[in-house]
Amino acid sequence: MQIVLATHNVHKVSELGAILSAAVEGLELLGYDGPEPVEDGTSYLENALIKARAAFAHTGLPSMADDSGIAVEILGGSPGIFSARWAGGRDNIANRRLLLAQLRDVVEEHRAAAFVCTIALVGPDGEASFTGIWPGRVAFEEQGEHGFGYDPVFIPEGFEVTAAELDPEVKNSMSHRALALEQLATYLNAIAN
Ligand code: ITT
């Protein structure tokens, strides 16, 4: 089975590849360097569908896309779908700094947040989507070198370290992306048999 991975984010490619290839036998993930559509949806699902549909239209092959972000409770769910450009540009360091500044005076009990990931699969047989949520809280400062994006400022529930301090295998066993992909793997394994 071949699926096009419709993302331009290399960190996502490595996490998606590591998790999915272990969960679905005989799966070949193909890279995508086609046109990047405008992500003007109003939800993770709409944006994931926009990206997966664009890749399917361009390649003619089943295509999957990941739309994800961090939802911070005291910010009413922001940055959410705007996570990648929260500080204006595509700059992870600036994004993290802005988020920490916004929460500077917020005590630990009110720093609840969650990573959210919606995966859309679009192909000749139709469309499907899967969502995973990884609860936790926003740290007071950056810690850790692993992962990407907001990992250095996100402390997953049950931990006292950030997602960027976890071994990648640990993150990939429990993250929002892992939870969405677990459902996708079940779906793919069911249609393959
Ligand atoms: P594509 O649209 O090409 O897939 P992107 O980086 O633009 O890549 P999104 O629009 O879905 O993807 O933005 C997701 C942003 O949310 C990402 O850039 C990070 O800032 C953040 N994010 C998502 N998953 C994350 C994770 O596992 N760890 C840390 N930050 C994450």
Side-chain angles (χ1 to χ4, degrees), residues 7-9 12 15 39 51 66-69 83-84 90 92 115 148-151 171 176-177:
T7 173
H8 292 81
N9 181 323
K12 284 187 185 176
E15 290 189 6
E39 283 179 51
K51 292 186 269 192
D66 163 318
D67 201 67
S68 43
S83 294
R90 258 182 188 287
N92 283 321
F115 272 132
F148 69 103
Y150 295 87
D151 282 337
K171 179 186 175 189
H176 50 317
R177 191 158 289 109

mmCIF file with all atom_site columns, all heavy atoms in Angstrom, residues 7-9 12 15 39 51 66-69 83-84 90 92 115 148-151 171 176-177, ligand 1:
data_model
loop_
_atom_site.group_PDB
_atom_site.id
_atom_site.type_symbol
_atom_site.label_atom_id
_atom_site.label_alt_id
_atom_site.label_comp_id
_atom_site.label_asym_id
_atom_site.label_entity_id
_atom_site.label_seq_id
_atom_site.pdbx_PDB_ins_code
_atom_site.Cartn_x
_atom_site.Cartn_y
_atom_site.Cartn_z
_atom_site.occupancy
_atom_site.B_iso_or_equiv
_atom_site.pdbx_formal_charge
_atom_site.auth_seq_id
_atom_site.auth_comp_id
_atom_site.auth_asym_id
_atom_site.auth_atom_id
_atom_site.pdbx_PDB_model_num
ATOM   1   N N   . THR A 1 7   ? 2.984  16.646 3.690  1.00 0.00 ? 7   THR A N   1
ATOM   2   C CA  . THR A 1 7   ? 3.453  17.673 4.612  1.00 0.00 ? 7   THR A CA  1
ATOM   3   C C   . THR A 1 7   ? 4.815  18.181 4.143  1.00 0.00 ? 7   THR A C   1
ATOM   4   O O   . THR A 1 7   ? 5.571  17.435 3.528  1.00 0.00 ? 7   THR A O   1
ATOM   5   C CB  . THR A 1 7   ? 3.566  17.138 6.047  1.00 0.00 ? 7   THR A CB  1
ATOM   6   O OG1 . THR A 1 7   ? 4.172  18.133 6.880  1.00 0.00 ? 7   THR A OG1 1
ATOM   7   C CG2 . THR A 1 7   ? 4.407  15.873 6.139  1.00 0.00 ? 7   THR A CG2 1
ATOM   8   N N   . HIS A 1 8   ? 5.089  19.446 4.462  1.00 0.00 ? 8   HIS A N   1
ATOM   9   C CA  . HIS A 1 8   ? 6.406  20.001 4.159  1.00 0.00 ? 8   HIS A CA  1
ATOM   10  C C   . HIS A 1 8   ? 7.236  20.137 5.435  1.00 0.00 ? 8   HIS A C   1
ATOM   11  O O   . HIS A 1 8   ? 8.314  20.707 5.422  1.00 0.00 ? 8   HIS A O   1
ATOM   12  C CB  . HIS A 1 8   ? 6.268  21.366 3.463  1.00 0.00 ? 8   HIS A CB  1
ATOM   13  C CG  . HIS A 1 8   ? 5.683  21.272 2.088  1.00 0.00 ? 8   HIS A CG  1
ATOM   14  N ND1 . HIS A 1 8   ? 4.334  21.164 1.864  1.00 0.00 ? 8   HIS A ND1 1
ATOM   15  C CD2 . HIS A 1 8   ? 6.268  21.226 0.865  1.00 0.00 ? 8   HIS A CD2 1
ATOM   16  C CE1 . HIS A 1 8   ? 4.117  21.090 0.558  1.00 0.00 ? 8   HIS A CE1 1
ATOM   17  N NE2 . HIS A 1 8   ? 5.269  21.122 -0.075 1.00 0.00 ? 8   HIS A NE2 1
ATOM   18  N N   . ASN A 1 9   ? 6.710  19.621 6.547  1.00 0.00 ? 9   ASN A N   1
ATOM   19  C CA  . ASN A 1 9   ? 7.396  19.725 7.839  1.00 0.00 ? 9   ASN A CA  1
ATOM   20  C C   . ASN A 1 9   ? 8.223  18.447 8.065  1.00 0.00 ? 9   ASN A C   1
ATOM   21  O O   . ASN A 1 9   ? 7.673  17.362 8.282  1.00 0.00 ? 9   ASN A O   1
ATOM   22  C CB  . ASN A 1 9   ? 6.330  19.915 8.934  1.00 0.00 ? 9   ASN A CB  1
ATOM   23  C CG  . ASN A 1 9   ? 6.927  20.065 10.314 1.00 0.00 ? 9   ASN A CG  1
ATOM   24  O OD1 . ASN A 1 9   ? 7.915  19.422 10.652 1.00 0.00 ? 9   ASN A OD1 1
ATOM   25  N ND2 . ASN A 1 9   ? 6.302  20.889 11.128 1.00 0.00 ? 9   ASN A ND2 1
ATOM   26  N N   . LYS A 1 12  ? 7.536  16.390 11.209 1.00 0.00 ? 12  LYS A N   1
ATOM   27  C CA  . LYS A 1 12  ? 6.330  15.554 11.105 1.00 0.00 ? 12  LYS A CA  1
ATOM   28  C C   . LYS A 1 12  ? 6.642  14.307 10.282 1.00 0.00 ? 12  LYS A C   1
ATOM   29  O O   . LYS A 1 12  ? 6.225  13.209 10.641 1.00 0.00 ? 12  LYS A O   1
ATOM   30  C CB  . LYS A 1 12  ? 5.191  16.317 10.409 1.00 0.00 ? 12  LYS A CB  1
ATOM   31  C CG  . LYS A 1 12  ? 4.493  17.356 11.252 1.00 0.00 ? 12  LYS A CG  1
ATOM   32  C CD  . LYS A 1 12  ? 3.293  17.851 10.441 1.00 0.00 ? 12  LYS A CD  1
ATOM   33  C CE  . LYS A 1 12  ? 2.543  18.971 11.081 1.00 0.00 ? 12  LYS A CE  1
ATOM   34  N NZ  . LYS A 1 12  ? 1.456  19.465 10.208 1.00 0.00 ? 12  LYS A NZ  1
ATOM   35  N N   . GLU A 1 15  ? 8.377  11.767 12.474 1.00 0.00 ? 15  GLU A N   1
ATOM   36  C CA  . GLU A 1 15  ? 7.507  11.156 13.492 1.00 0.00 ? 15  GLU A CA  1
ATOM   37  C C   . GLU A 1 15  ? 6.441  10.265 12.839 1.00 0.00 ? 15  GLU A C   1
ATOM   38  O O   . GLU A 1 15  ? 6.210  9.131  13.275 1.00 0.00 ? 15  GLU A O   1
ATOM   39  C CB  . GLU A 1 15  ? 6.827  12.243 14.336 1.00 0.00 ? 15  GLU A CB  1
ATOM   40  C CG  . GLU A 1 15  ? 7.801  12.966 15.259 1.00 0.00 ? 15  GLU A CG  1
ATOM   41  C CD  . GLU A 1 15  ? 7.130  13.888 16.269 1.00 0.00 ? 15  GLU A CD  1
ATOM   42  O OE1 . GLU A 1 15  ? 5.876  13.907 16.359 1.00 0.00 ? 15  GLU A OE1 1
ATOM   43  O OE2 . GLU A 1 15  ? 7.850  14.586 16.976 1.00 0.00 ? 15  GLU A OE2 1
ATOM   44  N N   . GLU A 1 39  ? -3.897 27.192 3.617  1.00 0.00 ? 39  GLU A N   1
ATOM   45  C CA  . GLU A 1 39  ? -4.596 26.549 4.746  1.00 0.00 ? 39  GLU A CA  1
ATOM   46  C C   . GLU A 1 39  ? -5.556 27.555 5.366  1.00 0.00 ? 39  GLU A C   1
ATOM   47  O O   . GLU A 1 39  ? -5.259 28.171 6.379  1.00 0.00 ? 39  GLU A O   1
ATOM   48  C CB  . GLU A 1 39  ? -3.587 26.090 5.801  1.00 0.00 ? 39  GLU A CB  1
ATOM   49  C CG  . GLU A 1 39  ? -2.847 24.830 5.433  1.00 0.00 ? 39  GLU A CG  1
ATOM   50  C CD  . GLU A 1 39  ? -1.846 24.425 6.509  1.00 0.00 ? 39  GLU A CD  1
ATOM   51  O OE1 . GLU A 1 39  ? -2.216 24.339 7.688  1.00 0.00 ? 39  GLU A OE1 1
ATOM   52  O OE2 . GLU A 1 39  ? -0.683 24.202 6.154  1.00 0.00 ? 39  GLU A OE2 1
ATOM   53  N N   . LYS A 1 51  ? -5.111 19.955 2.810  1.00 0.00 ? 51  LYS A N   1
ATOM   54  C CA  . LYS A 1 51  ? -3.769 19.493 2.422  1.00 0.00 ? 51  LYS A CA  1
ATOM   55  C C   . LYS A 1 51  ? -3.821 18.111 1.769  1.00 0.00 ? 51  LYS A C   1
ATOM   56  O O   . LYS A 1 51  ? -3.140 17.849 0.770  1.00 0.00 ? 51  LYS A O   1
ATOM   57  C CB  . LYS A 1 51  ? -2.849 19.484 3.656  1.00 0.00 ? 51  LYS A CB  1
ATOM   58  C CG  . LYS A 1 51  ? -2.540 20.881 4.184  1.00 0.00 ? 51  LYS A CG  1
ATOM   59  C CD  . LYS A 1 51  ? -1.524 20.874 5.316  1.00 0.00 ? 51  LYS A CD  1
ATOM   60  C CE  . LYS A 1 51  ? -2.160 20.764 6.671  1.00 0.00 ? 51  LYS A CE  1
ATOM   61  N NZ  . LYS A 1 51  ? -1.227 21.032 7.795  1.00 0.00 ? 51  LYS A NZ  1
ATOM   62  N N   . ASP A 1 66  ? -1.431 15.958 8.053  1.00 0.00 ? 66  ASP A N   1
ATOM   63  C CA  . ASP A 1 66  ? -1.506 16.169 9.509  1.00 0.00 ? 66  ASP A CA  1
ATOM   64  C C   . ASP A 1 66  ? -1.708 17.651 9.737  1.00 0.00 ? 66  ASP A C   1
ATOM   65  O O   . ASP A 1 66  ? -0.928 18.468 9.250  1.00 0.00 ? 66  ASP A O   1
ATOM   66  C CB  . ASP A 1 66  ? -0.158 15.683 10.097 1.00 0.00 ? 66  ASP A CB  1
ATOM   67  C CG  . ASP A 1 66  ? 0.155  16.159 11.518 1.00 0.00 ? 66  ASP A CG  1
ATOM   68  O OD1 . ASP A 1 66  ? -0.091 17.348 11.842 1.00 0.00 ? 66  ASP A OD1 1
ATOM   69  O OD2 . ASP A 1 66  ? 0.690  15.347 12.281 1.00 0.00 ? 66  ASP A OD2 1
ATOM   70  N N   . ASP A 1 67  ? -2.775 18.014 10.441 1.00 0.00 ? 67  ASP A N   1
ATOM   71  C CA  . ASP A 1 67  ? -2.874 19.389 10.919 1.00 0.00 ? 67  ASP A CA  1
ATOM   72  C C   . ASP A 1 67  ? -2.881 19.337 12.434 1.00 0.00 ? 67  ASP A C   1
ATOM   73  O O   . ASP A 1 67  ? -3.633 18.564 13.031 1.00 0.00 ? 67  ASP A O   1
ATOM   74  C CB  . ASP A 1 67  ? -4.109 20.110 10.390 1.00 0.00 ? 67  ASP A CB  1
ATOM   75  C CG  . ASP A 1 67  ? -3.902 21.616 10.477 1.00 0.00 ? 67  ASP A CG  1
ATOM   76  O OD1 . ASP A 1 67  ? -3.040 22.150 9.744  1.00 0.00 ? 67  ASP A OD1 1
ATOM   77  O OD2 . ASP A 1 67  ? -4.567 22.270 11.304 1.00 0.00 ? 67  ASP A OD2 1
ATOM   78  N N   . SER A 1 68  ? -2.030 20.132 13.038 1.00 0.00 ? 68  SER A N   1
ATOM   79  C CA  . SER A 1 68  ? -1.835 19.992 14.473 1.00 0.00 ? 68  SER A CA  1
ATOM   80  C C   . SER A 1 68  ? -1.515 21.334 15.101 1.00 0.00 ? 68  SER A C   1
ATOM   81  O O   . SER A 1 68  ? -1.299 22.325 14.409 1.00 0.00 ? 68  SER A O   1
ATOM   82  C CB  . SER A 1 68  ? -0.721 18.977 14.747 1.00 0.00 ? 68  SER A CB  1
ATOM   83  O OG  . SER A 1 68  ? 0.374  19.183 13.873 1.00 0.00 ? 68  SER A OG  1
ATOM   84  N N   . GLY A 1 69  ? -1.492 21.342 16.428 1.00 0.00 ? 69  GLY A N   1
ATOM   85  C CA  . GLY A 1 69  ? -1.173 22.575 17.126 1.00 0.00 ? 69  GLY A CA  1
ATOM   86  C C   . GLY A 1 69  ? -1.313 22.386 18.612 1.00 0.00 ? 69  GLY A C   1
ATOM   87  O O   . GLY A 1 69  ? -1.591 21.287 19.086 1.00 0.00 ? 69  GLY A O   1
ATOM   88  N N   . SER A 1 83  ? -0.921 27.727 15.325 1.00 0.00 ? 83  SER A N   1
ATOM   89  C CA  . SER A 1 83  ? 0.307  27.449 16.078 1.00 0.00 ? 83  SER A CA  1
ATOM   90  C C   . SER A 1 83  ? 1.577  27.689 15.269 1.00 0.00 ? 83  SER A C   1
ATOM   91  O O   . SER A 1 83  ? 2.561  28.223 15.787 1.00 0.00 ? 83  SER A O   1
ATOM   92  C CB  . SER A 1 83  ? 0.295  26.007 16.582 1.00 0.00 ? 83  SER A CB  1
ATOM   93  O OG  . SER A 1 83  ? -0.729 25.838 17.536 1.00 0.00 ? 83  SER A OG  1
ATOM   94  N N   . ALA A 1 84  ? 1.575  27.290 13.988 1.00 0.00 ? 84  ALA A N   1
ATOM   95  C CA  . ALA A 1 84  ? 2.806  27.365 13.189 1.00 0.00 ? 84  ALA A CA  1
ATOM   96  C C   . ALA A 1 84  ? 3.267  28.806 12.973 1.00 0.00 ? 84  ALA A C   1
ATOM   97  O O   . ALA A 1 84  ? 4.447  29.058 12.773 1.00 0.00 ? 84  ALA A O   1
ATOM   98  C CB  . ALA A 1 84  ? 2.602  26.672 11.836 1.00 0.00 ? 84  ALA A CB  1
ATOM   99  N N   . ARG A 1 90  ? 6.975  31.832 10.239 1.00 0.00 ? 90  ARG A N   1
ATOM   100 C CA  . ARG A 1 90  ? 7.174  30.408 10.525 1.00 0.00 ? 90  ARG A CA  1
ATOM   101 C C   . ARG A 1 90  ? 8.411  30.233 11.400 1.00 0.00 ? 90  ARG A C   1
ATOM   102 O O   . ARG A 1 90  ? 9.408  29.686 10.964 1.00 0.00 ? 90  ARG A O   1
ATOM   103 C CB  . ARG A 1 90  ? 7.409  29.674 9.204  1.00 0.00 ? 90  ARG A CB  1
ATOM   104 C CG  . ARG A 1 90  ? 6.207  28.971 8.760  1.00 0.00 ? 90  ARG A CG  1
ATOM   105 C CD  . ARG A 1 90  ? 6.430  28.204 7.489  1.00 0.00 ? 90  ARG A CD  1
ATOM   106 N NE  . ARG A 1 90  ? 5.152  27.732 7.067  1.00 0.00 ? 90  ARG A NE  1
ATOM   107 C CZ  . ARG A 1 90  ? 4.490  26.756 7.658  1.00 0.00 ? 90  ARG A CZ  1
ATOM   108 N NH1 . ARG A 1 90  ? 5.022  26.110 8.665  1.00 0.00 ? 90  ARG A NH1 1
ATOM   109 N NH2 . ARG A 1 90  ? 3.301  26.411 7.230  1.00 0.00 ? 90  ARG A NH2 1
ATOM   110 N N   . ASN A 1 92  ? 9.717  28.911 15.009 1.00 0.00 ? 92  ASN A N   1
ATOM   111 C CA  . ASN A 1 92  ? 9.399  28.174 16.238 1.00 0.00 ? 92  ASN A CA  1
ATOM   112 C C   . ASN A 1 92  ? 9.899  28.880 17.495 1.00 0.00 ? 92  ASN A C   1
ATOM   113 O O   . ASN A 1 92  ? 9.237  28.870 18.529 1.00 0.00 ? 92  ASN A O   1
ATOM   114 C CB  . ASN A 1 92  ? 10.020 26.767 16.188 1.00 0.00 ? 92  ASN A CB  1
ATOM   115 C CG  . ASN A 1 92  ? 9.211  25.838 15.300 1.00 0.00 ? 92  ASN A CG  1
ATOM   116 O OD1 . ASN A 1 92  ? 7.990  25.886 15.306 1.00 0.00 ? 92  ASN A OD1 1
ATOM   117 N ND2 . ASN A 1 92  ? 9.890  25.002 14.531 1.00 0.00 ? 92  ASN A ND2 1
ATOM   118 N N   . PHE A 1 115 ? -1.776 19.249 23.121 1.00 0.00 ? 115 PHE A N   1
ATOM   119 C CA  . PHE A 1 115 ? -1.437 19.132 21.707 1.00 0.00 ? 115 PHE A CA  1
ATOM   120 C C   . PHE A 1 115 ? -2.586 18.392 21.021 1.00 0.00 ? 115 PHE A C   1
ATOM   121 O O   . PHE A 1 115 ? -3.113 17.413 21.568 1.00 0.00 ? 115 PHE A O   1
ATOM   122 C CB  . PHE A 1 115 ? -0.165 18.309 21.519 1.00 0.00 ? 115 PHE A CB  1
ATOM   123 C CG  . PHE A 1 115 ? 1.118  19.087 21.575 1.00 0.00 ? 115 PHE A CG  1
ATOM   124 C CD1 . PHE A 1 115 ? 2.170  18.637 22.353 1.00 0.00 ? 115 PHE A CD1 1
ATOM   125 C CD2 . PHE A 1 115 ? 1.297  20.234 20.824 1.00 0.00 ? 115 PHE A CD2 1
ATOM   126 C CE1 . PHE A 1 115 ? 3.371  19.333 22.392 1.00 0.00 ? 115 PHE A CE1 1
ATOM   127 C CE2 . PHE A 1 115 ? 2.493  20.936 20.850 1.00 0.00 ? 115 PHE A CE2 1
ATOM   128 C CZ  . PHE A 1 115 ? 3.528  20.482 21.640 1.00 0.00 ? 115 PHE A CZ  1
ATOM   129 N N   . PHE A 1 148 ? 10.265 19.193 18.202 1.00 0.00 ? 148 PHE A N   1
ATOM   130 C CA  . PHE A 1 148 ? 10.202 20.425 17.402 1.00 0.00 ? 148 PHE A CA  1
ATOM   131 C C   . PHE A 1 148 ? 9.108  21.327 17.961 1.00 0.00 ? 148 PHE A C   1
ATOM   132 O O   . PHE A 1 148 ? 8.474  20.992 18.976 1.00 0.00 ? 148 PHE A O   1
ATOM   133 C CB  . PHE A 1 148 ? 9.957  20.096 15.919 1.00 0.00 ? 148 PHE A CB  1
ATOM   134 C CG  . PHE A 1 148 ? 8.583  19.551 15.622 1.00 0.00 ? 148 PHE A CG  1
ATOM   135 C CD1 . PHE A 1 148 ? 7.592  20.347 15.048 1.00 0.00 ? 148 PHE A CD1 1
ATOM   136 C CD2 . PHE A 1 148 ? 8.255  18.233 15.920 1.00 0.00 ? 148 PHE A CD2 1
ATOM   137 C CE1 . PHE A 1 148 ? 6.322  19.843 14.767 1.00 0.00 ? 148 PHE A CE1 1
ATOM   138 C CE2 . PHE A 1 148 ? 6.988  17.728 15.657 1.00 0.00 ? 148 PHE A CE2 1
ATOM   139 C CZ  . PHE A 1 148 ? 6.028  18.531 15.084 1.00 0.00 ? 148 PHE A CZ  1
ATOM   140 N N   . GLY A 1 149 ? 8.898  22.431 17.297 1.00 0.00 ? 149 GLY A N   1
ATOM   141 C CA  . GLY A 1 149 ? 7.782  23.324 17.632 1.00 0.00 ? 149 GLY A CA  1
ATOM   142 C C   . GLY A 1 149 ? 7.713  23.663 19.123 1.00 0.00 ? 149 GLY A C   1
ATOM   143 O O   . GLY A 1 149 ? 8.682  24.159 19.705 1.00 0.00 ? 149 GLY A O   1
ATOM   144 N N   . TYR A 1 150 ? 6.585  23.379 19.745 1.00 0.00 ? 150 TYR A N   1
ATOM   145 C CA  . TYR A 1 150 ? 6.348  23.748 21.144 1.00 0.00 ? 150 TYR A CA  1
ATOM   146 C C   . TYR A 1 150 ? 6.808  22.671 22.133 1.00 0.00 ? 150 TYR A C   1
ATOM   147 O O   . TYR A 1 150 ? 6.570  22.820 23.337 1.00 0.00 ? 150 TYR A O   1
ATOM   148 C CB  . TYR A 1 150 ? 4.849  24.033 21.351 1.00 0.00 ? 150 TYR A CB  1
ATOM   149 C CG  . TYR A 1 150 ? 4.352  25.239 20.573 1.00 0.00 ? 150 TYR A CG  1
ATOM   150 C CD1 . TYR A 1 150 ? 3.905  25.107 19.247 1.00 0.00 ? 150 TYR A CD1 1
ATOM   151 C CD2 . TYR A 1 150 ? 4.339  26.512 21.141 1.00 0.00 ? 150 TYR A CD2 1
ATOM   152 C CE1 . TYR A 1 150 ? 3.469  26.210 18.521 1.00 0.00 ? 150 TYR A CE1 1
ATOM   153 C CE2 . TYR A 1 150 ? 3.894  27.613 20.426 1.00 0.00 ? 150 TYR A CE2 1
ATOM   154 C CZ  . TYR A 1 150 ? 3.459  27.458 19.118 1.00 0.00 ? 150 TYR A CZ  1
ATOM   155 O OH  . TYR A 1 150 ? 3.030  28.558 18.411 1.00 0.00 ? 150 TYR A OH  1
ATOM   156 N N   . ASP A 1 151 ? 7.461  21.624 21.667 1.00 0.00 ? 151 ASP A N   1
ATOM   157 C CA  . ASP A 1 151 ? 7.899  20.563 22.585 1.00 0.00 ? 151 ASP A CA  1
ATOM   158 C C   . ASP A 1 151 ? 8.697  21.081 23.789 1.00 0.00 ? 151 ASP A C   1
ATOM   159 O O   . ASP A 1 151 ? 8.485  20.609 24.909 1.00 0.00 ? 151 ASP A O   1
ATOM   160 C CB  . ASP A 1 151 ? 8.710  19.492 21.835 1.00 0.00 ? 151 ASP A CB  1
ATOM   161 C CG  . ASP A 1 151 ? 7.818  18.549 21.051 1.00 0.00 ? 151 ASP A CG  1
ATOM   162 O OD1 . ASP A 1 151 ? 6.629  18.416 21.399 1.00 0.00 ? 151 ASP A OD1 1
ATOM   163 O OD2 . ASP A 1 151 ? 8.312  17.934 20.086 1.00 0.00 ? 151 ASP A OD2 1
ATOM   164 N N   . LYS A 1 171 ? 7.946  9.953  23.242 1.00 0.00 ? 171 LYS A N   1
ATOM   165 C CA  . LYS A 1 171 ? 6.965  10.875 22.660 1.00 0.00 ? 171 LYS A CA  1
ATOM   166 C C   . LYS A 1 171 ? 6.102  10.149 21.622 1.00 0.00 ? 171 LYS A C   1
ATOM   167 O O   . LYS A 1 171 ? 4.881  10.269 21.621 1.00 0.00 ? 171 LYS A O   1
ATOM   168 C CB  . LYS A 1 171 ? 7.670  12.077 22.003 1.00 0.00 ? 171 LYS A CB  1
ATOM   169 C CG  . LYS A 1 171 ? 6.674  13.046 21.365 1.00 0.00 ? 171 LYS A CG  1
ATOM   170 C CD  . LYS A 1 171 ? 7.295  14.178 20.581 1.00 0.00 ? 171 LYS A CD  1
ATOM   171 C CE  . LYS A 1 171 ? 6.184  14.993 19.910 1.00 0.00 ? 171 LYS A CE  1
ATOM   172 N NZ  . LYS A 1 171 ? 6.674  15.998 18.958 1.00 0.00 ? 171 LYS A NZ  1
ATOM   173 N N   . HIS A 1 176 ? -0.122 13.176 20.706 1.00 0.00 ? 176 HIS A N   1
ATOM   174 C CA  . HIS A 1 176 ? -1.329 13.451 19.915 1.00 0.00 ? 176 HIS A CA  1
ATOM   175 C C   . HIS A 1 176 ? -1.228 12.785 18.544 1.00 0.00 ? 176 HIS A C   1
ATOM   176 O O   . HIS A 1 176 ? -2.175 12.195 18.049 1.00 0.00 ? 176 HIS A O   1
ATOM   177 C CB  . HIS A 1 176 ? -1.510 14.967 19.782 1.00 0.00 ? 176 HIS A CB  1
ATOM   178 C CG  . HIS A 1 176 ? -0.284 15.711 19.333 1.00 0.00 ? 176 HIS A CG  1
ATOM   179 N ND1 . HIS A 1 176 ? 0.969  15.455 19.816 1.00 0.00 ? 176 HIS A ND1 1
ATOM   180 C CD2 . HIS A 1 176 ? -0.119 16.693 18.401 1.00 0.00 ? 176 HIS A CD2 1
ATOM   181 C CE1 . HIS A 1 176 ? 1.845  16.251 19.235 1.00 0.00 ? 176 HIS A CE1 1
ATOM   182 N NE2 . HIS A 1 176 ? 1.206  17.010 18.353 1.00 0.00 ? 176 HIS A NE2 1
ATOM   183 N N   . ARG A 1 177 ? -0.021 12.885 17.949 1.00 0.00 ? 177 ARG A N   1
ATOM   184 C CA  . ARG A 1 177 ? 0.191  12.294 16.612 1.00 0.00 ? 177 ARG A CA  1
ATOM   185 C C   . ARG A 1 177 ? 0.105  10.772 16.697 1.00 0.00 ? 177 ARG A C   1
ATOM   186 O O   . ARG A 1 177 ? -0.491 10.116 15.843 1.00 0.00 ? 177 ARG A O   1
ATOM   187 C CB  . ARG A 1 177 ? 1.569  12.755 16.111 1.00 0.00 ? 177 ARG A CB  1
ATOM   188 C CG  . ARG A 1 177 ? 1.876  12.463 14.658 1.00 0.00 ? 177 ARG A CG  1
ATOM   189 C CD  . ARG A 1 177 ? 2.957  13.393 14.128 1.00 0.00 ? 177 ARG A CD  1
ATOM   190 N NE  . ARG A 1 177 ? 2.485  14.747 13.983 1.00 0.00 ? 177 ARG A NE  1
ATOM   191 C CZ  . ARG A 1 177 ? 2.881  15.760 14.775 1.00 0.00 ? 177 ARG A CZ  1
ATOM   192 N NH1 . ARG A 1 177 ? 3.790  15.593 15.705 1.00 0.00 ? 177 ARG A NH1 1
ATOM   193 N NH2 . ARG A 1 177 ? 2.352  16.959 14.608 1.00 0.00 ? 177 ARG A NH2 1
HETATM 194 P P1  . ITT B 2 .   ? 2.469  21.111 7.062  1.00 0.00 ? 1   ITT B P1  1
HETATM 195 O O1  . ITT B 2 .   ? 1.237  21.989 7.026  1.00 0.00 ? 1   ITT B O1  1
HETATM 196 O O2  . ITT B 2 .   ? 3.283  21.185 5.813  1.00 0.00 ? 1   ITT B O2  1
HETATM 197 O O3  . ITT B 2 .   ? 2.157  19.700 7.470  1.00 0.00 ? 1   ITT B O3  1
HETATM 198 P P2  . ITT B 2 .   ? 3.150  22.802 9.337  1.00 0.00 ? 1   ITT B P2  1
HETATM 199 O O4  . ITT B 2 .   ? 4.315  22.861 10.284 1.00 0.00 ? 1   ITT B O4  1
HETATM 200 O O5  . ITT B 2 .   ? 2.739  24.088 8.658  1.00 0.00 ? 1   ITT B O5  1
HETATM 201 O O6  . ITT B 2 .   ? 3.448  21.671 8.239  1.00 0.00 ? 1   ITT B O6  1
HETATM 202 P P3  . ITT B 2 .   ? 0.652  22.821 10.783 1.00 0.00 ? 1   ITT B P3  1
HETATM 203 O O7  . ITT B 2 .   ? 0.049  23.899 9.969  1.00 0.00 ? 1   ITT B O7  1
HETATM 204 O O8  . ITT B 2 .   ? -0.187 21.625 11.130 1.00 0.00 ? 1   ITT B O8  1
HETATM 205 O O9  . ITT B 2 .   ? 1.935  22.199 10.096 1.00 0.00 ? 1   ITT B O9  1
HETATM 206 O O10 . ITT B 2 .   ? 1.230  23.491 12.115 1.00 0.00 ? 1   ITT B O10 1
HETATM 207 C C1  . ITT B 2 .   ? 1.519  22.701 13.202 1.00 0.00 ? 1   ITT B C1  1
HETATM 208 C C2  . ITT B 2 .   ? 2.328  23.501 14.212 1.00 0.00 ? 1   ITT B C2  1
HETATM 209 O O11 . ITT B 2 .   ? 1.926  23.087 15.537 1.00 0.00 ? 1   ITT B O11 1
HETATM 210 C C3  . ITT B 2 .   ? 3.809  23.119 14.105 1.00 0.00 ? 1   ITT B C3  1
HETATM 211 O O12 . ITT B 2 .   ? 4.497  23.982 13.241 1.00 0.00 ? 1   ITT B O12 1
HETATM 212 C C4  . ITT B 2 .   ? 4.262  23.250 15.564 1.00 0.00 ? 1   ITT B C4  1
HETATM 213 O O13 . ITT B 2 .   ? 4.528  24.592 15.858 1.00 0.00 ? 1   ITT B O13 1
HETATM 214 C C5  . ITT B 2 .   ? 3.020  22.816 16.342 1.00 0.00 ? 1   ITT B C5  1
HETATM 215 N N1  . ITT B 2 .   ? 3.081  21.356 16.617 1.00 0.00 ? 1   ITT B N1  1
HETATM 216 C C6  . ITT B 2 .   ? 2.345  20.371 16.036 1.00 0.00 ? 1   ITT B C6  1
HETATM 217 N N2  . ITT B 2 .   ? 2.700  19.168 16.488 1.00 0.00 ? 1   ITT B N2  1
HETATM 218 C C7  . ITT B 2 .   ? 3.691  19.380 17.372 1.00 0.00 ? 1   ITT B C7  1
HETATM 219 C C8  . ITT B 2 .   ? 4.502  18.528 18.142 1.00 0.00 ? 1   ITT B C8  1
HETATM 220 O O14 . ITT B 2 .   ? 4.381  17.210 18.082 1.00 0.00 ? 1   ITT B O14 1
HETATM 221 N N3  . ITT B 2 .   ? 5.419  19.081 18.930 1.00 0.00 ? 1   ITT B N3  1
HETATM 222 C C9  . ITT B 2 .   ? 5.574  20.421 18.984 1.00 0.00 ? 1   ITT B C9  1
HETATM 223 N N4  . ITT B 2 .   ? 4.878  21.300 18.280 1.00 0.00 ? 1   ITT B N4  1
HETATM 224 C C10 . ITT B 2 .   ? 3.934  20.793 17.462 1.00 0.00 ? 1   ITT B C10 1
#
